[in-house]
Amino acid sequence: MAVLSKIKSLLKKEEKAPEPKLRTWSNDPKLLPWTDQPDAEQEVERRLAAGKLTPRDAELARKWIKDGYIVLQQHFVGSDVDKLNGEIDALWTAEKPHDGLNFHDVIQEDGAPATLTISHRDLLAIPAEEREKARLRGKWRIHGFHFHSKTSMNIFKDESMRKTVSMLLGTETQPQYTINFHWGSQHGLHQDLMVFHVHPANYLVGAWIALEDISPDCGPLVYSPGSHRMQMYHEYDNYPQTNLRTSDQERRKRYEAHLAEEGSKFERHQFIAKKGDVLLWHAMLLHGGDTIKNKALTRRSMVIHYMPPEMDKSKEVVGPFMW
């Protein structure tokens, strides 16, 4: 009886546990980057006249303000791109695993669901013939390869690209994350801001780097110019606490329906890049991966996300989280 009484007492305490108090975040538009302010176009001219922007930077800023993206043509023209491709290929036949390196969405058998995460060690434990079939099935990607590759780290730390992003945001910004793709992602149109917890909002920039010439049939990156000016979804009115990562399934569906409706108002462009080209995009720009029309074609690419480290508020957001 004493034990039962103690259990009931503990259950009663659990029932009375207070809900976590959610912080109220300010989403004052005045906190957004200078390129998102109503007078941004005039500010470009003021900064140019004052010598705070070079003519090239002013041109990039005008494009960013108008369309929400810029293209840096042939930004990477050295040997690092080819070397990086070779290093990623070699991961599938390596004799020794990289500790801490994981692959995502590997399809190990035809018709089987993708393995959400598999370590490099466990990947190499798969028989060579089956492993090669998995490599060719597509969809897989690698996060954080720059921690395991000097070549990837060289691209990650590219100072010219970092300075361009810092100019667009108006503050010192650092690269934070990398993803390497071998195939087209076929990811539906989405907004990066909704899967990050950045405050103030919009201090986040994505960079998509072509590691080979891109074909219209390989499932290229697609984007919607001007869509970065869309208002934040009204149910995410306490961003960064409220976003896709903290949504339940019903709210997520409503957001995706909203995105589809609003996104249909914008043109969709393919990024048919040459090896070494970079597309930088705004945190609210609609973008994704187009349909793969030729499954034999790869879409080798590297994605970097930039933000001021102090504006990453992911540790201050309360769960539960969808991932």
Side-chain angles (χ1 to χ4, degrees), residues 188-191 224 230 233 252-266 286:
L189 291 177
H190 60 284
Q191 298 167 309
S224 299
M230 289 173 56
Y233 179 53
R252 181 187 182 114
K253 289 177 182 177
R254 292 194 295 272
Y255 165 73
E256 290 174 346
H258 161 81
L259 211 60
E261 180 180 354
E262 293 300 310
S264 66
K265 300 174 183 178
F266 299 91
L286 289 174

Side-chain angles (χ1 to χ4, degrees), residues 14 52 87 109 112-113 149 159 170 174 176 222 224 305 308 316:
E14 286 182 3
K52 295 179 179 179
E87 289 180 5
E109 296 180 10
S149 160
E159 185 62 7
Q174 298 294 333
Q176 300 293 322
V222 291
S224 299
H305 283 97
E316 299 177 39

